[in-house]
């Protein structure tokens, strides 16, 4: 499973970016055209942070697997859910669980200033995302993800 992640604090417009990229309202399967004429990605997109929607790493891995897609796009909060920190950990713990499940991290977009300490060569920060026009941020994230 190829993994595309959007990380950000509340009000950094994560859901708006995912909706702009996919046309998905809540969660849906979409076909995404990568740049360079590569084969279409069958993508499972989920809007809203997994921690806020009370979806644990294991639950999301199972949910994504049931879609039979080759890629997934989801949002993470940099921090654990304060009411359920063990079950809904920080972004780093989700990424570790996804890696342990054999998922391949393709790209991470951090909207705003807080990436939760996540480090990756595939990470790009978009510090102006909370105030920039959403179409500008979505265009930049799409380019970072390597999508048309």
């Amino acid at each position: 499973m190829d993994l595309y992640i959007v990380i950000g604090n509340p009000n950094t417009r994560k859901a708006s970016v995912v909706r702009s990229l996919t046309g998905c309202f809540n969660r849906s399967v979409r076909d995404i055209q990568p740049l360079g004429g590569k084969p279409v990605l069958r993508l499972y997109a989920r809007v809203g942070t997994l921690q806020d929607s009370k979806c644990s790493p294991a639950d999301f891995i199972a949910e994504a697997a049931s879609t039979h897609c080759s890629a997934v796009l989801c949002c993470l909060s940099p921090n654990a859910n304060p009411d359920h920190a063990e079950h809904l950990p920080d972004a780093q713990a989700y990424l570790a669980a996804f890696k342990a499940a054999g998922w391949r991290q393709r790209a991470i977009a951090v909207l705003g200033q807080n990436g939760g300490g996540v480090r990756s060569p595939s990470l790009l920060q978009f510090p102006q995302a909370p105030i920039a026009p959403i179409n500008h941020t979505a265009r930049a994230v799409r380019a970072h993800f390597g999508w048309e």
Side-chain angles (χ1 to χ4, degrees), residues 3-138:
L3 177 63
Y4 298 87
I5 297 286
V6 177
I7 299 174
N9 282 332
N11 304 314
T12 54
R13 303 163 82 189
K14 298 175 297 297
S16 296
V17 167
V18 171
R19 287 184 178 121
S20 293
L21 293 173
T22 65
C24 171
F25 176 72
N26 185 10
R27 57 184 98 181
S28 186
V29 173
R30 295 288 196 247
D31 288 330
I32 301 293
Q33 181 63 56
L35 292 171
K38 295 178 184 171
V40 170
L41 285 176
R42 191 76 171 154
L43 178 89
Y44 176 61
R46 178 147 176 192
V47 177
T49 67
L50 297 179
Q51 294 98 324
D52 290 345
S53 61
K54 302 203 177 6
C55 185
S56 72
D59 291 343
F60 187 67
I61 290 166
E63 179 181 313
S66 73
T67 68
H68 305 291
C69 289
S70 60
V72 66
L73 167 63
C74 65
C75 300
L76 295 172
S77 172
N79 306 310
N81 181 304
D83 298 325
H84 306 283
E86 252 182 68
H87 184 64
L88 305 166
D90 63 15
Q92 290 185 62
Y94 275 86
L95 291 173
F98 298 156
K99 182 177 181 180
W103 290 12
R104 295 166 303 279
Q105 184 178 294
R106 295 298 184 204
I108 300 173
V110 174
L111 306 186
Q113 300 291 329
N114 185 2
V118 171
R119 302 278 183 254
S120 170
S122 67
L123 184 146
L124 188 59
Q125 191 164 11
F126 300 87
Q128 298 298 313
I131 58 171
I134 195 66
N135 60 321
H136 290 222
T137 302

